[in-house]
Amino acid sequence: MTTHVQERRYFPAADVALHDDGVRVESYWRDDTEVRVSVLPPGARVPGRPIGQAQVAMVVQGRISTTVGEVTRLMEPERHVCVAPPGVSFSAVNPTESEAVLLELRRSKPGEIYPAPSDYFLEPFESRKFVGMDVTFFVADWIELMIADIPGGGEMPYHRHSHEQIGVCLEGRYDMTVEESSHELRFGGTYFCASQEGHGAVNPHADVARSVNIFIPPRYHRVPGQKTRRKNEQDTDRETQ
């Protein structure tokens, strides 16, 4: 029973809701954080209202018009990320004739603050090779997103760090391990990894596996304009050897 409870903390099952307008939402929870994968048919809306959580969103399929506060942008898949602080309304609509998929993270944790960019939207900060993977980063003050392609036969070596990490499978499938628990993740499958919980990923298949990995606070970068870089670079090198 204990093992099952721990697995649910690392790899929670989805709560699924189907709304009257055809929007399907898969929701994954651990403690103060929720990951939502919403499938929006043509014309469907995510209504806007201020809530007490920070919201971070990325389109992973199709195109979605997103409004944060008074700022509206047509978001392309994996090209833009929006960051809405608590109390600022967030809404979305699928203006196209094709299905679209929106990935959201919602979070409210005591002691944390959630500043947002001046216009609420982020574009890619950096793309490069990292331990054999093609990766792209989006960076804000309190959160960092890394889209990663694990090639067939590739892996992210098992390691641990002080940053909280959350990941969602976007394409293909791969085996994710957190502490003693391993699961095959497919589209939408989500894992949660708290500070100092060991984790790693392996893609035993021929096709590329694609995922987004979320770090709180940012792990690999500071946002533009900050004077100092993270002091964990040596630790990072050691963890990924």
Side-chain angles (χ1 to χ4, degrees):
M1 179 63 69
T2 301
T3 300
H4 175 70
V5 170
Q6 285 293 88
E7 287 179 352
R8 287 294 301 272
R9 286 181 63 79
Y10 307 142
F11 304 97
D15 293 327
V16 181
L18 183 61
H19 299 279
D20 292 341
D21 58 0
V23 174
R24 184 179 189 273
V25 180
E26 293 185 359
S27 178
Y28 303 84
W29 282 90
R30 180 172 176 178
D31 301 330
D32 307 284
T33 305
E34 177 189 13
V35 171
R36 297 165 64 96
V37 180
S38 300
V39 180
L40 281 66
R45 295 178 175 271
V46 176
R49 69 184 190 281
I51 63 174
Q53 298 167 297
Q55 293 175 266
V56 179
M58 180 177 70
V59 176
V60 298
Q61 180 180 312
R63 294 184 298 164
I64 294 176
S65 179
T66 303
T67 300
V68 183
E70 302 298 324
V71 181
T72 299
R73 180 172 295 185
L74 183 63
M75 297 178 65
E76 303 283 347
E78 300 180 14
R79 179 63 194 174
H80 306 103
V81 168
C82 67
V83 181
V88 175
S89 64
F90 168 94
S91 64
V93 60
N94 178 4
T96 74
E97 296 182 358
S98 301
E99 187 176 81
V101 180
L102 181 68
L103 173 66
E104 292 177 77
L105 179 142
R106 299 184 177 188
R107 182 178 177 95
S108 179
K109 188 171 184 177
E112 288 187 345
I113 59 174
Y114 306 106
S118 57
D119 66 352
Y120 303 115
F121 288 88
L122 303 172
E123 294 193 355
F125 180 73
E126 180 190 26
S127 295
R128 61 181 170 92
K129 284 283 188 180
F130 176 69
V131 293
M133 303 182 298
D134 291 317
V135 298
T136 296
F137 293 94
F138 298 82
V139 187
D141 290 86
W142 64 275
I143 192 168
E144 179 177 36
L145 292 82
M146 180 181 77
I147 299 174
D149 287 347
I150 308 177
E155 66 174 314
M156 168 61 79
Y158 190 87
H159 63 288
R160 62 183 73 239
H161 46 68
S162 61
H163 305 255
E164 187 173 344
Q165 182 171 331
I166 301 161
V168 183
C169 181
L170 302 179
E171 182 180 332
R173 50 194 173 125
Y174 64 98
D175 297 332
M176 186 73 199
T177 298
V178 181
E179 292 293 308
E180 73 281 2
S181 301
S182 295
H183 279 257
E184 182 184 75
L185 295 182
R186 302 189 180 209
F187 181 79
T190 299
Y191 71 86
F192 289 83
C193 183
S195 174
Q196 299 301 341
E197 289 181 342
H199 55 283
V202 177
N203 178 8
H205 310 287
D207 295 332
V208 169
R210 193 169 181 83
S211 65
V212 59
N213 304 275
I214 301 164
F215 303 94
I216 305 172
R219 172 158 165 73
Y220 296 105
H221 300 88
R222 292 283 194 177
V223 295
Q226 288 181 326
K227 295 181 179 180
T228 59
R229 305 220 20 120
R230 291 211 165 270
K231 296 181 180 179
N232 68 340
E233 292 179 355
Q234 292 181 347
D235 188 43
T236 299
D237 292 340
R238 182 172 62 253
E239 291 163 357
T240 55
Q241 285 177 353

